[in-house]
Amino acid sequence: MPSGLSSCLAVSRYIGETMTVSLPTTKELEAAGTVLQRLLSELDRMLLGRSELHRLVIVALLSRGHVLLEGVPGVGKTTLIKALGQLLQLDFKRVQFTPDLMPGDILGSYILQESEDGRRELVFRPGPIFTNLLLADEINRASPKTQSALLEAMQERQVTLLGTTRPLPEPFFVLASQNPIELEGTYPLPEAQLDRFLFKLMVEQVSEEVLDGIISTRRRGEPPKPDWALSREELARLYQLMERIYLPKAVSRYIARLVSATHAQSPLAPPLVKEYVAYGSSPRGAIALAEAGRAHALLCGRPTVGFEDIRAVAIPALQHRVLLAYKARLDRVTPAQVIEQLLQQIPAVPLDLPDDVQLQTPGR
Amino acid sequence: MSISWSARELARRLQWACAVRAAVWWSSLALLVWGSVIVVVRLVWPASSDWLLIGLVGVLAAAVIGAWDGTRRVPDEASLLAWLDAENACGGLLMSRLEVSLHGWHAEVNGEQLPKVAWKKRPALALLAVSLAYVGVGLWLPQRFLQLHGTPSRAAERQVERLEQQLQKLSDLGLIDLARYDELRAELQQIRRNSDSYEPGKSHEALDHLERALQQLAQQGVQKWAEQREQLQEARNLAEALKELTQSGELKPEQSKLASQALQQLLQQSLNAAQANENVKELQELLERHKDGSPFTNQELAELAEKLKELLDGKALDLDELAELGLLDPELLRKLKDLPLRPVDLEWIKACLEKCEEGEGDCDAEELLLLLCRGRNRAGQSLVNGDGPPGVGGINRGRGDAPLTFGKPSSAEGVQLKPEALKPGALHHLETPILQVQRVKPTTDRRETSQGGALGDRNGTGEGYDRLTLPRHRRSVRQYFESGR
């Protein structure tokens, strides 16, 4: 059995066993659903034509995960994070990554300052990372050293400088973006660092109708001000509800099988994986799927995670964790296509019935 | 409809389907085995086959075991609930029911939404039908169709008996030796065992071949007997003639001695081919006493003649009996019967003795025998030249060189290469430019060319295809750079 499969199964058992609290009640979920639907609708109103993207960003937010956005300049990445900040009433900062950006520019640094009593002392000036919502624009333009500093802080949720550890604010959410074109002189994120992002979302060009709507309804592309905002208490309640969303064992096994099937040497791997995948997803992918599944269930107003929740978040959660071989580039096969085939070929519940016995659902 | 009921109902449907399916497959397998046992038993032991019906018990047992094995393959309730949850998009509520308290959350599965269990039964039922037919055929097929060997035909059996009689007669008459007799008898028994009423032709062919072999042996044996008999008669004639001429004093001592030596040689050859008996032993002892070439006495000659007569009488052969058994054809029988034993011819022997003396050099016993046998004594001829009686290949006419003939020389038409001019389109194949040097085997691209064209066009003569050798990765690399990435 590949080591990845055994560790995925171990993760599935861990995921299944941690939930000992009672399920959210219908009232609680109804209230949460109302809030989340309001949040989504406001976001859709402010930013046109990207409902699915907004939905996934909300899922990532509820999962306390970070998101990597990939899209050409001018598609609304910064606007999205600004709108989120306004809707969530959270502190928002933006960092434009450039090749000369240093780690201290992000994390903060000590400055020699003269105090009121005339003494000189080192005072810590926090960097832009000390915020709730951080937009790391064009993260692939910064040097690997600076990238590592940010990514390490994202993982640890704290910053340590000169022996002093300072936690980052809660909630802490990073939206990093990278430009898929003009790759000369950039430092693509290494695969080990990509793993720290919960989702990788592709921000595509909007349709003609959406462009027409943008141009005709707003000047200079500026989105309208939100009519409503989510309070911190409501956000905290949402996070509490997240802890009570239950992940059934069958779903956790499904997650484990999906992740193990991303490895070419797995017996579950479909033909596309065997042919084009060089390295499959790590156990972080399984954890990401589980958390994102819970958030998606909460968004749908359910106390339990279903197979459809996992399928809804599989591509964003796994496409940056599956490394394709060179042949995939020549044949123009994308990770999303590979995961799509994975979802089609891996059954949610393997019943192991004989080949000539099938269950036929009425109406199909 | 409660969730528990749904899961149980689905499990029940699956169990039923899997049990029936497994029972059918196991029963089919058991029937195939049973049918094979029936066929083998009836082939080896063609007795009553009613007891073979006991195999039905095994088939029933296999069906029960199969049904039990089939029910073990049904998934557990948790898996079925999870499957129902996935099919009905219940969002995990169904399958969570067994793991956690739902606290007021309720999920139902509509009874009408329960899936139907579909079993593709045609292949299994077809195999079951074939297995049943196989058993039925094995049980009720007539025994004559289930035999490894067919019974020998009656005609072949009669022929075998006749050949056995012939073989026995040849052995009794001493016309074949014991080893050959055993060999032929074993062959006859083998043909009897292998004879098959379904293919009598092969049996008859083998028996006919054996019959021809026995006839040849009989002919050879009879001719050999005739030769020996002639030799003994000639020896007897010479002994009697020598006795009378010696008694009458008509022979000189040298002639008498010479004739005695010739008689000893003739006698030696005759006795070598004769079967050993008391007379033969006595004659051999007599020869032993005169091995120094000393002449026989009159008394010895008289005894010699008497013993040779006894030997001749003992060598009588009932040729008619052999002809009745079919071992001799009538023509040969007539010849053998017309072959008389020569009487004593004193004048001829005296003339040969005188002629032998008149010849150049010393006359010895061999020359005398040659004179005695020339034109008249065929037994003597066989001793000198090794010829046998005519009609059996015994006449030596020397080498059979055939004259060489030379006919007309054969024509060269059709064997010369016809010169043919290459089409202009093929001329470029004579040039082989090097396109590329690469480590891997190059792929070829077969391109169709258009018909017609100008004379200058290399494919203008309508040559069908042109081949180019391409590097392996050219297409892939071009595709990559054209993609704009």
Side-chain angles (χ1 to χ4, degrees), chain A residues 22 24 26 29 246 248-251 302-304 306-308 329 332 349 351 354 356-362 364, chain B residues 21 25 75 79 82-83 86-87 91-93 95-96 99 103 105 112-120 479-480 483:
Chain A
S22 59
T26 49
L29 280 183
Y246 181 70
K249 286 190 173 51
V251 176
R302 281 183 273 107
T304 54
F307 298 108
E308 55 273 17
R329 295 187 71 185
R332 299 189 188 180
V349 183
L351 293 178
D356 49 354
V357 174
Q358 291 174 347
L359 293 175
Q360 290 179 345
T361 307
R364 293 190 188 179
Chain B
R21 172 194 172 274
W25 281 109
S79 300
W83 188 89
E87 287 294 310
L93 282 172
M95 52 188 153
S96 303
E99 300 167 19
H103 285 303
W105 288 95
E112 295 172 354
Q113 295 296 324
L114 272 185
K116 293 180 183 172
V117 179
W119 170 39
K120 291 179 188 173
Q479 188 181 1
Y480 172 70
S483 67

Side-chain angles (χ1 to χ4, degrees), chain B residues 329-346:
Chain B
D329 60 276
E331 186 61 26
L332 183 60
L333 176 66
R334 185 186 61 76
K335 283 184 184 174
L336 288 171
K337 280 187 173 179
D338 291 344
L339 192 66
L341 290 174
R342 294 184 191 285
V344 178
D345 192 344
L346 295 176

Side-chain angles (χ1 to χ4, degrees), chain A residues 172-183:
Chain A
F172 177 63
F173 185 56
V174 173
L175 243 81
S177 70
Q178 59 182 25
N179 197 344
I181 57 173
E182 293 175 338
L183 294 172

